[in-house]
Amino acid sequence: MNAATRAAVAYCLTRGHTPIALHNGFPGLCRHHDDQPLGSVREMSWSDVEGWVSKGGSEIGTNRALPSDDMPKTAYCFEKYKLNALFIIGGFEAFTAVSELRKARPEYPAFRIPIALLPATISNNVPGTEYSVGSDTCLNALVEYCDAIKQSASASRRRIFVVETQGGKSGYIATIAGLSIGALAVYTPEEGINIRMLSRDIEHLRTSFATDQGQSRAGKLILRNEHASDTYTTEVIANMIREEAKGRFESRFAIPGHVQQGGTPSPMDRVRAVRLAVKCITFLEGFAGKSKEEIVADPMSMSVIGIKGASVVFGSMEKVEKEETNWKERRPKDESWLQLKKIVDTLSGRPKPGDCCQTCGKRKS
């Protein structure tokens, strides 16, 4: 987020605009905009953002609260500080906030300004894009953690670790990390977890350990998204594997937690943050000189920038909300990475449901 904020401020200054930072999100704007001696609405200069490019997190603060918590006060602050355009960086909450501002336009003229959203969340669950800033840094941290765990599993030869990943209700982080480290299985919210699935995987483990007879030094890992199941938690799955192993191999669980939030942003995240931020400001400049009526009449006046395939595209919020958003599960309807889940299973030799007995989980002869 800091790299994107820095790029936006620097580009605005070179173009003669006045960049204003709203600290701590919408609650900061509504509750502390006129605090003394320093309020939450502050004009930004070169010196304010110069050292931000390599810093993780957000120097201006973030907040999950939405403008609907106090829409009249939000509109009042927009008018008081004469905001001509709004650039938002954030995850699904930011996406929801822009949606609320769009729907409030008829009642509040202050929101009839161009607004651009840059998706930034480790969960990579914002509709309208295949990539969110921050997800690469998260994957780097998680893969490094799993590599260390796998080394421990390899040393003992007969140990499997069940690792819990973050990512909200999107299995992106678990799947991409699983592909990167050669995971035996990946449990995601999209697919869920059931007893038959666990039975097949445990039987696959039995066969795998019996076949290599301790000769293979490859450690075995299973990745489980934190929201894959309310019943089959990471610890429960590890305990089930240990119980069914009957001493032939052991199972442990590991929860990296906020280690996955990463530290220093990866080069890819930095570069994409800068590129997308500059494109967003350029996009907002296209509405300069237009009246509020003209802005409202243009569905692209509230947009989310995204990477789809090899292209950078802007999507109308209204269209993305209606056609691409799974509001209940807080993720896109169509997730481009889902096909990679099958590759993870194929490379690990994980059996398909139709290949196994529904009762015992053993492969059919």
Side-chain angles (χ1 to χ4, degrees):
M1 288 186 179
N2 283 323
T5 305
R6 173 185 173 274
V9 169
Y11 188 75
C12 280
L13 290 171
T14 61
R15 299 287 291 175
H17 306 307
T18 303
I20 296 175
L22 309 180
H23 288 252
N24 299 316
F26 289 100
L29 172 66
C30 295
R31 302 170 191 168
H32 307 292
H33 66 95
D34 56 356
D35 285 3
Q36 297 297 331
L38 191 64
S40 61
V41 181
R42 307 172 200 170
E43 185 174 331
M44 304 296 284
S45 66
W46 288 96
S47 58
D48 292 327
V49 299
E50 184 56 32
W52 290 11
V53 67
S54 60
K55 291 185 177 181
S58 175
E59 291 295 303
I60 66 173
T62 61
N63 199 299
R64 293 178 179 271
L66 300 171
S68 57
D69 292 345
D70 195 345
M71 197 67 82
K73 188 64 174 290
T74 302
Y76 165 78
C77 290
F78 272 47
E79 291 178 343
K80 179 178 180 178
Y81 295 100
K82 301 178 180 179
L83 302 183
N84 301 124
L86 184 63
F87 174 46
I88 299 180
I89 309 170
F92 201 89
E93 283 74 17
F95 181 84
T96 305
V98 175
S99 174
E100 290 185 352
L101 293 177
R102 183 187 68 80
K103 294 174 182 176
R105 272 179 164 179
E107 185 176 355
Y108 300 98
F111 302 145
R112 298 169 189 174
I113 59 175
I115 298 177
L117 168 65
L118 194 167
T121 168
I122 68 167
S123 303
N124 196 32
N125 64 339
V126 179
T129 185
E130 296 175 3
Y131 171 85
S132 296
V133 172
S135 58
D136 185 66
T137 300
C138 169
L139 281 169
N140 286 346
L142 179 58
V143 169
E144 183 178 359
Y145 179 92
C146 289
D147 283 344
I149 293 291
K150 195 168 186 178
Q151 186 175 8
S152 173
S154 300
S156 68
R157 301 191 183 188
R158 290 191 168 275
R159 179 179 297 167
I160 180 167
F161 275 91
V162 183
V163 180
E164 181 173 296
T165 73
Q166 295 185 342
K169 292 188 176 182
S170 170
Y172 172 81
I173 293 297
T175 301
I176 303 302
L179 187 62
S180 301
I181 65 172
L184 184 83
V186 173
Y187 300 138
T188 64
E190 287 83 356
E191 187 178 20
I193 306 175
N194 57 62
I195 191 65
R196 290 179 178 175
M197 180 187 297
L198 293 174
S199 177
R200 290 194 302 271
D201 291 338
I202 291 173
E203 185 58 35
H204 178 50
L205 281 170
R206 287 199 192 102
T207 304
S208 177
F209 279 112
T211 302
D212 66 32
Q213 297 180 344
Q215 297 174 8
S216 173
R217 296 189 62 84
K220 293 178 172 58
L221 268 69
I222 290 177
L223 298 189
R224 174 193 172 274
N225 174 280
E226 59 187 344
H227 293 294
S229 171
D230 293 331
T231 302
Y232 300 111
T233 65
T234 304
E235 184 176 2
V236 166
I237 293 174
N239 289 340
M240 289 176 67
I241 294 173
R242 184 187 303 113
E243 180 68 23
E244 293 298 320
K246 306 298 182 183
R248 285 172 287 183
F249 53 90
E250 60 178 307
S251 172
R252 297 185 182 182
F253 70 96
I255 303 178
H258 280 72
V259 166
Q260 299 165 77
Q261 300 287 344
T264 304
S266 70
M268 179 176 288
D269 270 337
R270 297 187 204 185
V271 171
R272 285 187 170 174
V274 170
R275 287 182 58 213
L276 297 178
V278 171
K279 282 186 175 292
C280 282
I281 302 303
T282 304
F283 175 79
L284 294 174
E285 284 182 316
F287 293 91
K290 293 186 178 182
S291 65
K292 289 185 178 293
E293 290 71 23
E294 290 176 314
I295 292 174
V296 171
D298 188 348
M300 293 299 293
S301 62
M302 277 196 175
S303 297
V304 53
I305 191 171
I307 295 177
K308 292 187 175 181
S311 303
V312 176
V313 298
F314 282 92
S316 163
M317 274 297 299
E318 184 175 8
K319 182 179 180 181
V320 173
E321 289 174 42
K322 293 179 180 179
E323 299 179 7
E324 301 181 33
T325 307
N326 182 339
W327 287 101
K328 180 181 178 181
E329 302 298 336
R330 294 168 53 84
R331 62 184 182 230
K333 288 181 179 178
D334 298 315
E335 296 172 294
S336 61
W337 54 266
L338 279 176
Q339 57 185 337
L340 299 177
K341 178 72 167 53
K342 296 179 181 179
I343 297 178
V344 175
D345 293 342
T346 299
L347 295 179
S348 68
R350 189 184 185 195
K352 298 178 181 178
D355 297 336
C356 302
C357 172
Q358 294 294 319
T359 304
C360 65
K362 293 183 178 181
R363 285 183 181 270
K364 296 176 181 178
S365 56

